[in-house]
Amino acid sequence: YTPGIPDISIFVRPPIISTSTMVTIETSLKLRSGLVLPNRLVKAAMTEAMADDFSRPSKEICNLYEAWSAGGTGTLITGNVQIDRRYQERPGNVCIDGPQDEEQCEHLRRWATACK
């Protein structure tokens, strides 16, 4: 920066990237952890409100995430998963509150498998 001289660096065009290195939504992405995402398409967190009457992942929510996964989404971010039933954002959200019995864990495993 030079006093009295406007900074024009914001107007300078970035160098043109060759098409061989062009990053698109289909380009894989390696995370610092080493995990490689197949593409850059992300399903953001939403409120699905599709849990069963016991706030467990239902068959319907598993089917929905399976469809998103089969559609080629690189990353699926789950919706509102509550950790305290007293403060749910809305009825129908999945809740993981306290110790989980085997049946609850099985519902969660099915949901995780649907996301692969």
Side-chain angles (χ1 to χ4, degrees):
Y1 172 77
T2 305
I5 299 176
D7 180 9
I8 62 166
S9 65
I10 61 170
F11 301 109
V12 177
R13 289 188 109 160
I16 295 174
I17 301 172
S18 77
T19 56
S20 64
T21 60
M22 182 71 69
V23 174
T24 66
I25 199 163
E26 295 92 10
T27 305
S28 63
L29 177 65
K30 184 174 183 178
L31 304 179
R32 289 182 186 168
S33 67
L35 179 68
V36 178
L37 304 178
N39 58 52
R40 293 156 190 252
L41 186 59
V42 177
K43 193 280 302 170
M46 303 184 319
T47 298
E48 293 94 3
M50 297 174 74
D52 68 12
D53 292 338
F54 300 100
S55 301
R56 300 175 302 201
S58 65
K59 181 177 181 176
E60 291 78 19
I61 198 169
C62 290
N63 291 342
L64 179 61
Y65 274 80
E66 190 171 36
W68 280 328
S69 180
T73 305
T75 303
L76 298 174
I77 301 174
T78 61
N80 286 309
V81 177
Q82 311 302 303
I83 59 169
D84 190 326
R85 292 177 200 283
R86 298 173 300 172
Y87 305 106
Q88 289 200 15
E89 181 263 340
R90 67 174 292 167
N93 283 340
V94 172
C95 186
I96 304 172
D97 185 9
Q100 305 299 296
D101 63 19
E102 185 53 37
E103 187 176 359
Q104 169 73 356
C105 289
E106 182 55 35
H107 282 267
L108 293 168
R109 278 192 287 275
R110 279 198 300 257
W111 192 18
T113 299
C115 294
K116 291 185 178 186

